[in-house]
Amino acid sequence: MFHAAKIWLVDLTGVSRDALHIYVAIALFLCVRMMWRGPWGSVAAVVVVVAAALTGEWLDHQMELLQGGACNPAEHWHDLRNTMAAPLVLALALPWLRPRRSKAVPVEPSGDDAERYNDVDIVAETAPGSRSIEARV
């Protein structure tokens, strides 16, 4: 079933199997990264892509054994490297692409702002029966 799905996907998209490894890895990485937005989101996404790549290669190996073909370890390693290259680059690059949060310290107003801040007088009117407060600038 896995093998048939891969063949169907290659036929549907018209891309090579190697390119399909890259596209699926990037899509899976981005999906996990969007769901897990915390500081460890990229690590989680890489772990999921590694698990999916290893599972896919294990299923390919099982298919080779069922078909009586010889297993070519170099081809499996090529597929794993091909699958993991883009997610690893993304995981390493994303922290550098995120805007830095400023560690701004509250500052006392200065210049014209300080004058406006300090010149506000709150005066309570003392007329009988009146309790309004007026601010004069």
Side-chain angles (χ1 to χ4, degrees), residues 10-93:
V10 167
D11 290 341
L12 177 73
T13 60
V15 299
S16 69
R17 287 181 60 225
D18 285 341
L20 197 58
H21 279 269
I22 296 167
Y23 295 145
V24 169
I26 291 172
L28 185 58
F29 177 89
L30 292 176
C31 286
V32 172
R33 187 63 183 99
M34 284 188 289
M35 287 189 297
W36 190 332
R37 293 189 175 254
W40 293 95
S42 291
V43 174
V46 167
V47 168
V48 169
V49 173
V50 166
L54 289 173
T55 302
E57 290 309 310
W58 180 78
L59 290 170
D60 283 347
H61 178 69
Q62 295 302 313
M63 182 57 70
E64 289 171 356
L65 293 177
L66 285 175
Q67 292 175 349
C71 178
N72 185 358
E75 185 177 322
H76 292 292
W77 284 112
H78 169 78
D79 286 346
L80 286 172
R81 282 191 308 270
N82 203 15
T83 303
M84 292 310 304
L88 287 173
V89 168
L90 285 172
L92 294 173

